[in-house]
Amino acid sequence: MSSVFGPACAMLLLLCALASNAAMGQYDKMSSRSGGTRPNFTVSIDPPTLSLAVYVNVTTEVNVRVRLCYGQREEICSEHEPRVQELVTKESPSINLSFPILLPCLCVQVYYAAHDAVRTTVCPFKTLALDGKDVWRTSYLTEFEKSLKWQSRCPHKPAAALCWRNQKIPTDCLAIANSTLLADSNTNNPVIMNYNISHVDKHPNICVKLSLNSSSHAYCIFKEDLTKWHAEVVPASQHLQVYIRSPVPASFSAQLCVIQGQECVTWGAVHSVSKDGTHNKELHLPFIHLQPELCVQVWQTDPLLYSWRLFCPFSSHERWGLVAVATAIVVTSGAILTYLSYHAARRRLSAWQLRYRPVLLVCSSEQTDQLSAVCALASILQGDLCSSVHMAHLASRGGGVADLGPLPWLYGQCETVLAAGGRVLVVWSPEGNSAYQAWCGPTAEETGERQIENDQRGKEKSEGEGHHMEGSDRSMEPSGVTTSVLRAALAYLRGMLHGYGQSHGFALVGFEGLCCSQDIPKELKELPLYQLPCDFRALVQELHYCQADTRWRFWHRLFSTMQAYRVADKLAHKLQLHMPAAQA
């Protein structure tokens, strides 16, 4: 039996092998036939819109697959999301693809939707200028104990160096000379770069700056707990004192430098302290001239650690901070001192019996608007400022104008008010200007001189001659009480101007809309003029009176000014309501 089945089994195995070889040959031919052809297509790019279009040139209906990828090496193109898009030529022979970031290694692959189809890869952005910002946004840096791994989408080889981050300006990283890191490119993956940091001082302000063409980016990845020694710089007289604390014995060096642009230029000699058993060390760095951006570089020399640490005790930012703090202290102290002085002066001034000067109002017109404004002013001065107001229209019986006559009454009131330090306010108007022009003739001048002489002889005699002159004036220009009192005031004022050369205590008052500067005679323009209500604040301050001690005269003047500002605006508004324009 064994002799019969042996040849039969051998024959069966031979037939199976021949059938398998025939089938394998047929599969290889189909695969080669289907995968050997490539679709004919064109690619058009639009970099500003971050998009491209693929157009397939076919005459029959076929299914084509299109995808974006990153060309990392010649035979490898990594995936891009979305991975694959189907293109049915029956519906449309073209397709638009968009991408978020434009990189030089961005490619497009086009192939038939068949098993093991040959893929055609086109990279249309190789000739475009490299944008470093897109490279940094699509890459990342990983820290290990002795190395840094930088990985990106495209096969780039940036140079790495150390820099010092300025805490006052986070975007500013000062370059550290002779701190280039050794790079080891991964032969298995060209998009990965390894940098050796085994001898780098891992301080939080020490960063790794990667540079590619004209673009660079700083990675500050070191943690606070990685640093092994600490230093402090204290300014002193003509030198800087550096205090260093290290948990292990080590040697350190320090040198002055001046910040210029993106680097700190060394200045002066290098000062070192050797390794010994102590953990606390000191360095003395003298300087001759203090420069605005003078700093100190401190680094460990044994065991050697690359990079230095920067200390700038005289930086402009810190100086401005000190100036701001000092200014705040001075302003706060000044405000407190002013507040305390004000209240002390106010308590002192409260004992001085502050009051307002007495006022004699002389009206120059009998017009209704003028009399209404004068009465409103008299009411405010007497009611709100508690000032003693004298006025012909307000004179009481037994001592008024009708009993004494205009000239004696006016002279008596002027002497009383001026002796008390008061003011004679002549309310001027166009009618007053006309009366003044008529009064200033030759007869009026002689009459004024006689009135002054009579006033000097005595009150009783001047009263008799005053009645006589009043009668002569009335015969020249008949008028009422207002014109008579005005003439008497002008005669008194002219006597002071001619006799003493000054007019202390006299002032002119005009109301807006009722009097202008053209209505004032040339001879009276040297008198103070208060145009109400806009000059009411100055008038209130002028009437404020206090018999203060000469030692406190400044505080009295300051307090009176503040009080005048406080009440003048309110009273000016009140006076405005009584003006004819407001009533209209």
Side-chain angles (χ1 to χ4, degrees):
M1 292 293 293
S2 61
S3 60
V4 176
F5 286 104
C9 290
M11 184 62 68
L12 181 61
L13 292 174
L14 179 61
L15 292 176
C16 290
L18 292 175
S20 176
N21 291 335
M24 182 64 69
Q26 184 179 6
Y27 176 78
D28 289 340
K29 290 180 181 179
M30 292 178 59
S31 176
S32 175
R33 189 183 304 113
S34 62
T37 59
R38 303 169 184 263
N40 184 14
F41 66 94
T42 58
V43 178
S44 61
I45 61 175
D46 189 7
T49 61
L50 298 178
S51 64
L52 58 84
V54 178
Y55 181 80
V56 180
N57 300 319
V58 293
T59 57
T60 60
E61 177 184 350
V62 294
N63 292 338
V64 178
R65 292 178 179 176
V66 181
R67 76 178 186 120
L68 293 176
C69 60
Y70 295 105
Q72 298 179 353
R73 62 177 71 176
E74 184 176 356
E75 67 277 6
I76 296 178
C77 197
S78 62
E79 297 291 345
H80 183 280
E81 297 295 338
R83 294 187 175 183
V84 179
Q85 294 192 19
E86 297 285 345
L87 174 61
V88 181
T89 57
K90 180 181 179 181
E91 299 176 358
S92 175
S94 63
I95 186 173
N96 292 325
L97 302 177
S98 60
F99 40 89
I101 297 177
L102 178 58
L103 296 175
C105 65
L106 183 64
C107 305
V108 57
Q109 281 188 349
V110 181
Y111 55 95
Y112 287 116
H115 184 67
D116 286 344
V118 177
R119 302 183 180 187
T120 302
T121 304
V122 176
C123 301
F125 302 106
K126 283 185 176 181
T127 58
L128 292 180
L130 176 64
D131 187 358
K133 295 181 180 179
D134 292 336
V135 175
W136 310 130
R137 284 189 295 176
T138 56
S139 61
Y140 58 91
L141 191 68
T142 305
E143 177 193 0
F144 297 96
E145 183 179 359
K146 296 183 178 181
S147 64
L148 295 176
K149 184 180 75 172
W150 182 76
Q151 186 172 357
S152 64
R153 298 283 181 86
C154 299
H156 299 299
K157 295 182 179 181
L162 301 178
C163 65
W164 177 266
R165 177 178 56 181
N166 192 344
Q167 292 183 344
K168 303 296 187 303
I169 309 177
T171 58
D172 189 9
C173 197
L174 300 178
I176 299 177
N178 302 323
S179 63
T180 302
L181 300 180
L182 298 178
D184 179 20
S185 59
N186 194 327
T187 56
N188 297 327
N189 195 342
V191 297
I192 296 179
M193 296 288 294
N194 294 317
Y195 300 96
N196 187 3
I197 59 170
S198 58
H199 297 288
V200 172
D201 183 11
K202 299 178 178 62
H203 189 272
N205 288 338
I206 294 178
C207 307
V208 178
K209 178 182 288 187
L210 299 182
S211 301
L212 189 63
N213 294 343
S214 59
S215 178
S216 62
H217 183 74
Y219 296 88
C220 302
I221 57 176
F222 298 127
K223 304 296 188 298
E224 182 69 30
D225 54 354
L226 297 179
T227 182
K228 297 181 180 180
W229 58 275
H230 302 274
E232 182 182 3
V233 177
V234 179
S237 177
Q238 295 298 316
H239 73 278
L240 294 175
Q241 197 73 20
V242 181
Y243 299 94
I244 303 174
R245 300 189 309 274
S246 176
V248 295
S251 300
F252 297 90
S253 297
Q255 187 179 16
L256 297 176
C257 67
V258 178
I259 296 179
Q260 295 181 0
Q262 294 295 321
E263 61 180 349
C264 196
V265 181
T266 57
W267 182 47
V270 177
H271 300 265
S272 302
V273 58
S274 60
K275 181 192 303 184
D276 53 20
T278 61
H279 299 305
N280 298 329
K281 308 177 188 302
E282 295 184 12
L283 286 173
H284 182 86
L285 279 70
F287 59 86
I288 301 176
H289 303 289
L290 179 61
Q291 299 192 20
E293 297 295 339
L294 183 63
C295 302
V296 179
Q297 297 177 355
V298 183
W299 67 94
Q300 181 176 319
T301 56
D302 187 17
L304 179 62
L305 290 179
Y306 293 106
S307 179
W308 40 251
R309 302 183 188 181
L310 193 65
F311 301 89
C312 301
F314 303 111
S315 65
S316 58
H317 305 286
E318 295 182 0
R319 287 203 312 272
W320 283 116
L322 294 176
V323 170
V325 172
T327 303
I329 294 176
V330 171
V331 171
T332 304
S333 302
I336 295 175
L337 181 61
T338 303
Y339 177 80
L340 296 177
S341 301
Y342 168 75
H343 282 276
R346 189 170 184 177
R347 288 194 299 268
R348 178 74 178 178
L349 292 171
S350 62
W352 290 343
Q353 195 177 358
L354 292 174
R355 57 189 178 89
Y356 287 89
R357 304 175 188 272
V359 176
L360 172 60
L361 287 178
V362 178
C363 190
S364 63
S365 175
E366 295 180 349
Q367 297 293 332
T368 304
D369 294 343
Q370 189 80 10
L371 290 176
S372 176
V374 173
C375 292
L377 176 61
S379 175
I380 291 175
L381 294 178
Q382 187 169 2
D384 295 281
L385 299 183
C386 299
S387 178
S388 177
V389 179
H390 303 263
M391 187 176 174
H393 298 78
L394 302 178
S396 59
R397 294 183 179 181
V401 180
D403 299 326
L404 302 177
L407 189 62
W409 180 86
L410 189 281
Y411 272 52
Q413 295 295 327
C414 286
E415 291 179 357
T416 303
V417 171
L418 295 178
R423 296 292 183 265
V424 179
L425 303 181
V426 181
V427 183
W428 205 251
S429 64
E431 292 79 11
N433 186 29
S434 301
Y436 178 82
Q437 298 298 334
W439 177 78
C440 281
T443 306
E445 183 176 357
E446 295 174 359
T447 304
E449 293 177 356
R450 290 197 303 270
Q451 289 175 350
I452 296 173
E453 294 175 358
N454 293 336
D455 180 62
Q456 294 176 352
R457 292 193 188 99
K459 185 175 182 179
E460 293 81 7
K461 189 174 181 179
S462 64
E463 289 178 359
E465 292 185 6
H467 284 291
H468 176 72
M469 293 174 62
E470 180 185 358
S472 62
D473 289 341
R474 288 178 180 174
S475 63
M476 293 173 56
E477 184 181 359
S479 180
V481 176
T482 301
T483 304
S484 301
V485 174
L486 175 63
R487 289 178 177 178
L490 294 176
Y492 192 95
L493 176 60
R494 174 172 284 189
M496 294 186 64
L497 292 175
H498 290 178
Y500 304 102
Q502 54 187 358
S503 58
H504 288 304
F506 275 79
L508 297 181
V509 173
F511 294 102
E512 293 182 357
L514 301 178
C515 177
C516 58
S517 59
Q518 290 80 4
D519 297 329
I520 301 175
K522 182 178 180 180
E523 187 179 2
L524 302 182
K525 286 186 179 293
E526 62 183 62
L527 297 178
L529 174 62
Y530 299 98
Q531 197 73 21
L532 302 183
C534 62
D535 295 335
F536 194 78
R537 181 181 297 173
L539 178 60
V540 171
Q541 188 173 354
E542 175 65 21
L543 297 179
H544 206 175
Y545 174 73
C546 175
Q547 294 180 347
D549 190 353
T550 56
R551 296 174 301 175
W552 297 87
R553 184 173 298 172
F554 169 77
W555 294 108
H556 161 253
R557 187 172 300 174
L558 176 63
F559 182 75
S560 62
T561 302
M562 296 174 61
Q563 189 176 19
Y565 272 74
R566 181 172 57 86
V567 301
D569 293 337
K570 181 177 70 173
L571 298 182
H573 178 70
K574 184 176 181 180
L575 179 63
Q576 183 72 32
L577 298 177
H578 293 83
M579 297 293 292
Q583 295 176 359

